[in-house]
Every structure is written in C-alpha cells, then in structure tokens.
Amino acid sequence: MATASTPFTIGVASADTLALRMLRIILLDRIPEATLLWCETTGRAAVEHCAKDARKPDLVLINLVLRGLQGLNSCRLIRRGSSRIKLLVMQTVPDAHARDKAIRAGVQGLVGKDDDTVLVNAIRSIAAGGTMDGFDTAPHAHDALVGQLGQHRGQHRGQLTKREMEIMDMIAANMPAETICATLGISPETLRSHRRNIRNKMHAANDAQAVIDWDAAEE
C-alpha cells in the first residue's frame, strides 16, 4: 500500500465534536507530515472550503454523518468540483452498501473508526495517491462522475454545463444564494443568469420543480 512521503494538507469533517478532537490529536501525534487546515461539523462548510483555493486541502477525511448536508452528498459535490482533492470516508462499521455508495460518490476509500493504525495507514495511502480496493483515483472518479451525470441528467432537457451542474447541486442542498456566490466566486447577477438557463434547459417552471427533477435523476 502506498504511503505519503511528502507533506500534505488535510481537512476533517465530522458531526461528532469529540471525534474531531481525537482526530486532531491523531494527526498531530502520528502523521507529522500532515498539516490540518480545518475541522468542520457541517458538510456545507467542508464543500465551501474545497471550492476556495486558500482552503483547499490535498485530502478530506469526512464522516458519513454530518450536520445538514450529509457525508456522501458532500463528497459528491467536492468531487464534481475537483479532480485533485482526495476523499477518504469514515464509518463506524463499514458495510457493503455504504461502500458501493461511496464509490459512486467519487471517494478513494472507506475506513472504520475503531482502529487508529488502520485509519493512519489509510490517510497516508490516500494522500499519496493510492486507493482502496474497488475505488478509483480522484481524477478518474471526477471524470466519470461529471460525464455520467451530464449524460443522465442531460436527457430530454438539454445538456447542463459543469458550472450549471455545480449550481444545481448546491440549490438542491439548500445552499443560500449568497453562499453559492461566495463558494463559486460569482456575482448574484451571474447566479440568476445560470439559474434561468438551468430552468430553461430542464423545462422547469421554477427552481422547486428543477430540484424535484434533479433529485429524481440522482436515483
């Protein structure tokens, strides 16, 4: 299994504040080559960090359970927006169903939380560009996710651009307009224009109808 031989940056997301404190200790004590950029309890905050150059980590360690936007939805948003950031998901007891969903969300591995050594080895491996069995690399997962999404959701309603897909994901995740603008670095006028184009392509009368169709296509 590959191990990280050079310094890397990491962000951590978990709804459990006690777990965040323990993870911080593990990173500081056992992975000195890792620089912790941030710890968050919400998926929305993790996604926002990963969209901003100054806060983009090399790797995100993310719990399946988060406040608000859940772990795999957060991973999906991060992966569609980045082919570089590696994603490692934590689950108390990893199971096959979660593993399959994690693969589809574009992550590079799924690990349990009951063995510090296993977790440390997984972090180092993923940071070095490795993957767990059955998972794809970040660049390949990004290309596959964006391509499949565009083909599937583009049927019968016009092809959405990558930026429009990002915006539609954020709207479906109940992100307010100001957060979308700040995350993507666009003006309110540009966002309104994108939303109008999305509705036209999806033949939706309003944003609510677009979200219903968008969520249905995700199934």
Side-chain angles (χ1 to χ4, degrees), residues 19-74:
L20 283 178
R21 288 197 291 270
M22 295 304 298
L23 288 168
R24 184 189 294 270
I25 292 171
I26 290 171
L27 290 169
L28 291 174
D29 288 351
R30 302 190 59 181
I31 315 180
E33 69 271 27
T35 297
L36 180 61
L37 293 184
W38 43 263
C39 288
E40 297 290 354
T41 59
T42 69
R44 178 180 294 177
V47 171
E48 290 174 3
H49 286 315
C50 290
K52 298 177 181 177
D53 289 340
R55 305 294 283 172
K56 282 183 180 179
D58 297 312
L59 182 149
V60 178
L61 178 63
I62 188 164
N63 197 352
L64 282 182
V65 179
L66 295 174
R67 297 175 186 173
L69 187 64
Q70 290 300 299
L72 290 180
N73 288 333
S74 300

Side-chain angles (χ1 to χ4, degrees), residues 53-203:
D53 289 340
R55 305 294 283 172
K56 282 183 180 179
D58 297 312
L59 182 149
V60 178
L61 178 63
I62 188 164
N63 197 352
L64 282 182
V65 179
L66 295 174
R67 297 175 186 173
L69 187 64
Q70 290 300 299
L72 290 180
N73 288 333
S74 300
C75 288
R76 196 174 293 110
L77 280 168
I78 293 169
R79 175 55 61 235
R80 287 176 190 153
S82 174
S83 62
R84 181 186 67 82
I85 298 173
K86 290 95 170 178
L87 299 171
L88 177 60
V89 175
M90 298 179 292
Q91 185 180 28
T92 302
V93 181
D95 59 71
H97 180 62
R99 180 180 181 276
D100 290 343
K101 294 181 70 174
I103 291 173
R104 292 197 297 273
V107 311
Q108 282 56 73
L110 172 66
V111 67
K113 297 187 289 185
D114 60 344
D115 190 321
D116 291 356
T117 298
V118 171
L119 178 60
V120 167
N121 288 339
I123 291 172
R124 283 193 163 126
S125 175
I126 301 302
T131 64
M132 292 186 170
D133 290 342
F135 291 82
D136 211 344
T137 63
H140 288 164
H142 168 77
D143 291 343
L145 193 60
V146 171
Q148 292 169 5
L149 181 64
Q151 292 173 5
H152 182 47
R153 288 180 167 173
Q155 295 175 356
H156 310 303
R157 53 191 172 189
Q159 180 73 46
L160 298 186
T161 66
K162 178 183 175 182
R163 176 48 57 89
E164 288 167 349
M165 288 190 287
E166 289 174 341
I167 290 172
M168 203 54 235
D169 274 326
M170 292 178 180
I171 293 172
N174 293 318
M175 283 191 177
E178 58 269 22
T179 300
I180 296 175
C181 290
T183 300
L184 299 179
I186 60 177
S187 68
E189 291 76 16
T190 298
L191 177 58
R192 283 193 289 270
S193 177
H194 279 306
R195 294 173 87 150
R196 183 167 56 252
N197 291 337
I198 290 169
R199 289 193 298 270
N200 289 339
K201 289 181 179 181
M202 296 180 68
H203 306 294

